Amino acid sequence: MTPSVVLICAALLDYFIGDPWGWLHPVQVMGWVISRLTKFLISLCQNAITQRIGGIVLGLILIIGSGYVGWLIMVTAQWLHPLWRIVLETIVLASCFALKSLRTAADCVCKLLAAGDLDSARKMLSNYVGRDTQNLSEAEIFRAVLETVTENATDGVMAPLFYAIVGACVPGVGSIPLALGYKASSTLDSMVGYRQAPYTYLGWFSARLEDYLTWLPCRLTVITLALISGKPRYVWGICCRDAIKDPSPNSGWSECAYAAILGVQMGGTNWYGGVPKEKPRLGDAIYPITPGSIQTALLLTRYSFLLWLGLAIALLFIGNRVW
C-alpha cells in the first residue's frame, strides 16, 4: 500500500503547504542544468542540423537524467529505511503538483484587484504570465488569470499526477521517476521550446516531446471535466469546435473545456514585447470572467485531481489483491 500512501500524502502536502518559500525545488535544479547546457550547446552547435541534434541530446539528458536521479534517491532512501523513502517520495512528488501554487497566484492577483490596486495587480500578474501586463484592464487581467489557471491545470497538475499514477502501477519504477521526467519535459518546453532564435532548432525536440507527453493526460482531463460538469456532449462539442483553432495541441483543449463549463470566452489579443498576437477565441461569452469564474475553475481542477487520485488508489488496491 506504499504507493497509495505516497500519493495521498503528496496530495495533502501540496494542498495544505505547497512549495515552501525559499526551499530548493526540483524545477530550480532542472532550470539551472538547462540554462548551462543550453549556453554550452549554443556555443558548440553553429548550424541548424547540429542544433537539432543538440536539442535531442539536451532533452534526453534532462528527462532521462531527472527520472534516473529520482529513482536513485528513492532506492537509496529505501536502503536506509523504508520510512525515509515514504517521506522523501512524498516531498518530491508533492513538488511536482502545482495545485496550491495556481490557487495562491490567482488569489494574490484577485485580492489586489478587489482592493482597487490595478497597478500592483498588473505587476503581480507579470510574475505568472509571458504577455505584457502594464496596460491590461481589469477584465483583461481576469482573463489572463483564468487562462493561466486553466492552461496549467493540465501540465502543472493533472499530467504530473497521470505519470505518477502510471509509475506507481509499474513494479520497480514508482511515482517519482515518471513524474520528475514529465516535469523535466515541461520545464524544457517553458525554457527553450520557442520558435524564435536562439532556440528555433535547439528547442524543437523539447517542444514536440512535451506536446506528445501531454496529449493523453490533456484529453483525459477534458473528458473528466466534461463528466464532472454534467454536460459532457456540450463541453466536448465546444472543444471540437474551438480548441482545434489553437496552434498548441493541448493548451487550447484545456482552456476550452473550462470555458465551455463556465460559459465564458477566452482568447483574444495579447501583447508580447510590444507586439500584438491574436489568440483564437475559445468558448462563448455567455458570462463575463469574474473572480468567481476563476475560483470555480480551481475547484473543477481540484475535483478532477481527487477523482483521479481515488481511481488510482482503487486500482492499486485491486492490483495488490490480485497479485
Side-chain angles (χ1 to χ4, degrees):
M1 295 301 292
T2 299
S4 298
V5 171
V6 169
L7 285 169
I8 293 171
C9 291
L12 291 172
L13 186 62
D14 175 64
Y15 180 80
F16 288 108
I17 298 178
D19 300 321
W21 184 260
W23 284 37
L24 183 65
H25 195 282
V27 171
Q28 290 178 288
V29 178
M30 294 174 190
W32 184 88
V33 175
I34 292 169
S35 178
R36 275 139 188 86
L37 279 179
T38 299
K39 290 178 182 178
F40 171 73
L41 289 170
I42 289 175
S43 65
L44 182 66
C45 306
Q46 299 297 321
N47 58 62
I49 295 177
T50 55
Q51 285 186 6
R52 285 182 181 273
I53 295 172
I56 295 173
V57 172
L58 173 66
L60 293 178
I61 287 177
L62 258 295
I63 295 170
I64 296 175
S66 297
Y68 178 73
V69 169
W71 177 82
L72 194 62
I73 291 173
M74 296 308 110
V75 169
T76 303
Q78 176 72 24
W79 177 74
L80 292 173
H81 195 282
L83 186 59
W84 273 110
R85 172 166 183 162
I86 294 175
V87 172
L88 282 176
E89 200 165 356
T90 296
I91 293 172
V92 174
L93 186 57
S95 73
C96 294
F97 303 145
L99 195 55
K100 170 79 171 187
S101 300
L102 287 177
R103 189 169 71 249
T104 300
D107 287 346
C108 287
V109 176
C110 289
K111 285 178 181 177
L112 289 171
L113 286 176
D117 194 346
L118 188 60
D119 288 335
S120 295
R122 290 166 174 162
K123 291 177 183 177
M124 180 65 69
L125 180 64
S126 67
N127 295 320
Y128 308 118
V129 301
R131 72 192 72 180
D132 299 341
T133 63
Q134 60 269 27
N135 296 315
L136 294 183
S137 65
E138 182 178 84
E140 289 171 325
I141 292 176
F142 283 142
R143 175 169 69 86
V145 172
L146 184 61
E147 288 173 353
T148 300
V149 164
T150 55
E151 178 183 352
N152 287 286
T154 294
D155 56 18
V157 180
M158 302 304 293
L161 177 61
F162 172 82
Y163 284 103
I165 292 170
V166 172
C169 293
V170 179
V173 176
S175 298
I176 296 302
L178 293 190
L180 280 180
Y182 176 79
K183 206 68 179 177
S185 173
S186 181
T187 306
L188 278 163
D189 180 56
S190 66
M191 291 185 67
V192 302
Y194 301 102
R195 296 181 180 180
Q196 294 83 10
Y199 307 117
T200 307
Y201 303 108
L202 189 69
W204 74 275
F205 177 77
S206 297
R208 297 291 77 75
L209 182 60
E210 199 272 344
D211 286 343
Y212 292 134
L213 291 176
T214 308
W215 192 92
L216 180 57
C218 178
R219 270 60 184 180
L220 292 175
T221 299
V222 170
I223 292 171
T224 303
L225 290 167
L227 292 172
I228 290 174
S229 72
K231 44 185 179 181
R233 292 184 62 183
Y234 172 77
V235 173
W236 188 258
I238 295 295
C239 288
C240 290
R241 186 193 73 184
D242 295 344
I244 57 174
K245 303 173 188 175
D246 197 289
S248 168
N250 299 309
S251 63
W253 281 83
S254 183
E255 291 180 33
C256 195
Y258 286 92
I261 295 170
L262 297 171
V264 301
Q265 187 175 76
M266 288 186 262
T269 304
N270 297 334
W271 292 77
Y272 299 90
V275 179
K277 182 176 181 180
E278 190 69 22
K279 300 283 286 184
R281 309 274 177 170
L282 305 173
D284 297 320
I286 302 171
Y287 306 108
I289 298 175
T290 64
S293 308
I294 296 167
Q295 291 304 315
T296 302
L298 290 166
L299 195 61
L300 286 167
T301 305
R302 190 186 311 164
Y303 288 158
S304 300
F305 184 93
L306 291 173
L307 181 58
W308 283 23
L309 186 64
L311 290 173
I313 293 168
L315 285 173
L316 289 168
F317 177 77
I318 293 170
N320 287 333
R321 294 294 297 269
V322 171
W323 293 103

